[in-house]
């Protein structure tokens, strides 16, 4: 598959429109269309922006690894990524409280992993 086809596939699998992707990387929707149909070359910096916006590795878009593996990796880290993103928005005091709350959750069996997980 071409880079454009991989962008299209990744975008569709994420449920993102061309307009949304364009807004995320700061270009017009028509440019995304041109990237996907291969009528415009994509710079490496733009390819990185697209990969970040689609939450995949640039290697996926270049067809260097199966796209399913990249999505699985992203899905496996979804909660960790969200937690880190939220944590980074907190000031120092908020971060200390967040750590305390997470530590409290680890003491409640309902919320902890069992040996099989």
């Amino acid at each position: 598959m071409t880079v454009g086809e991989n962008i299209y596939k990744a975008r569709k699998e994420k449920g993102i429109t061309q307009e949304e992707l364009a807004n995320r990387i700061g270009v017009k929707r028509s440019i995304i269309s041109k990237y996907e149909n291969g009528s415009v070359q994509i710079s490496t910096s733009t390819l990185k922006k697209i990969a970040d916006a689609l939450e995949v590795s640039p290697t996926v878009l270049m067809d260097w690894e199966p796209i399913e593996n990249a999505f699985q990796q992203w899905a496996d880290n979804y909660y960790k990524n969200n937690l880190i993103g939220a944590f980074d928005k907190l000031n120092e005091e908020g971060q200390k409280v967040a750590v305390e709350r997470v530590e409290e959750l680890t003491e409640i069996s309902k919320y902890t992993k069992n040996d099989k997980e």
Side-chain angles (χ1 to χ4, degrees):
M1 290 177 65
T2 68
V3 171
E5 290 168 334
N6 287 330
I7 292 170
Y8 174 84
K9 182 178 179 182
R11 182 177 61 75
K12 287 296 188 175
E13 287 186 13
K14 296 295 264 179
I16 298 171
T17 66
Q18 286 183 341
E19 187 74 31
E20 290 170 312
L21 180 56
N23 289 337
R24 289 181 185 188
I25 69 165
V27 299
K28 294 182 179 180
R29 187 212 53 82
S30 60
I31 295 295
I32 299 299
S33 176
K34 290 177 181 180
Y35 290 155
E36 289 182 355
N37 69 32
S39 63
V40 172
Q41 285 283 46
I42 303 171
S43 70
T44 54
S45 61
T46 300
L47 185 66
K48 174 75 170 97
K49 287 179 188 177
I50 291 171
D52 289 345
L54 296 174
E55 299 173 326
V56 298
S57 164
T59 60
V60 167
L61 300 180
M62 293 183 288
D63 213 16
W64 290 354
E65 66 179 270
I67 197 163
E68 292 79 13
N69 291 349
F71 281 120
Q72 188 59 50
Q73 270 184 330
W74 177 84
D76 290 345
N77 291 313
Y78 176 77
Y79 291 113
K80 288 179 185 177
N81 292 337
N82 284 344
L83 182 61
I84 290 168
F87 185 84
D88 286 343
K89 292 178 183 177
L90 298 172
N91 63 23
E92 187 176 343
E93 183 179 352
Q95 288 179 348
K96 287 178 184 177
V97 172
V99 169
E100 290 171 4
R101 297 298 175 261
V102 171
E103 287 173 348
E104 289 171 2
L105 286 173
T106 65
E107 295 176 15
I108 302 171
S109 62
K110 174 181 174 181
Y111 299 117
T112 57
K113 293 180 180 178
N114 59 36
D115 292 335
K116 295 178 184 177
E117 291 183 65

